[in-house]
Amino acid sequence: MEATAKLRSVRVTPQKARRVVNLIRGKSAAEALAILKFAPQGASEPVYKLVASAVANAKVKADATNVRFDEEDLIVSAAFVDEGVTMKRFMPRAQGRAGQILKRTSHITVVVSTPDEIVAKARSEEHTSELQSRVDISYAVFCLKKK
């Protein structure tokens, strides 16, 4: 079971949000929530709510498909921060000048999934890379025969 939660245009700089997101990537959902609850960074509160939302989304998704669900099994399989829109403000400076202030925003995405889903995804990627290498080899042989 894989569930996603996205938070867009949150007023935290992407650099500061990435520091918090890097703390929870790959951890279990319960452990991630415990880490975020006591993290001193300001970005930890919106990320905490986002992880809780992703867990709730997984629960709803499991209920809709009649699949066995246990919150303890969930792992934060992917978590990343993208840059949102930047608001530009100006502050008066000396001698009539204006200094630019950039108020950055972030788009934060958290994906939680069960270990079964992660293993299945890894196997499909291995199969895809194996097929790709076969295609590359056959193309190289074709090019050599062509010459």
Side-chain angles (χ1 to χ4, degrees):
M1 182 63 46
E2 185 172 275
T4 305
K6 295 180 181 180
L7 181 60
R8 295 178 50 80
S9 298
V10 64
R11 250 313 263 123
V12 174
T13 65
Q15 185 176 5
K16 292 177 182 177
R18 283 187 190 108
R19 283 184 59 206
V20 173
V21 167
N22 289 340
L23 293 173
I24 63 164
R25 192 177 294 118
K27 304 263 194 309
S28 71
E31 186 181 354
L33 289 172
I35 289 169
L36 292 170
K37 190 169 192 169
F38 297 106
Q41 291 87 358
S44 62
E45 182 184 352
V47 175
Y48 177 89
K49 290 181 179 181
L50 194 63
V51 172
S53 177
V55 170
N57 291 346
K59 186 173 183 180
V60 168
K61 199 172 182 181
D63 289 344
T65 57
N66 291 326
V67 176
R68 187 189 71 76
F69 177 74
D70 187 16
E71 289 184 19
E72 298 296 319
D73 292 342
L74 290 177
I75 295 173
V76 179
S77 58
F80 53 90
V81 179
D82 294 324
E83 196 169 323
V85 296
T86 300
M87 297 181 287
K88 295 176 181 165
R89 301 292 183 259
F90 295 95
M91 177 173 270
R93 306 303 293 180
Q95 297 181 359
R97 293 186 176 92
Q100 189 176 30
I101 296 175
L102 301 176
K103 297 193 173 200
R104 301 180 190 275
T105 61
S106 303
H107 300 319
I108 307 172
T109 304
V110 173
V111 179
V112 294
S113 57
T114 57
D116 304 336
E117 186 79 24
I118 295 169
V119 169
K121 196 173 195 180
R123 285 189 180 148
S124 69
E125 286 177 2
E126 284 178 11
H127 180 68
T128 305
S129 65
E130 184 179 307
L131 288 175
Q132 184 62 39
S133 64
R134 287 182 186 169
V135 169
D136 291 342
I137 291 169
S138 62
Y139 180 71
V141 169
F142 171 75
C143 290
L144 288 174
K145 285 182 181 178
K146 195 174 180 182
K147 289 182 180 180

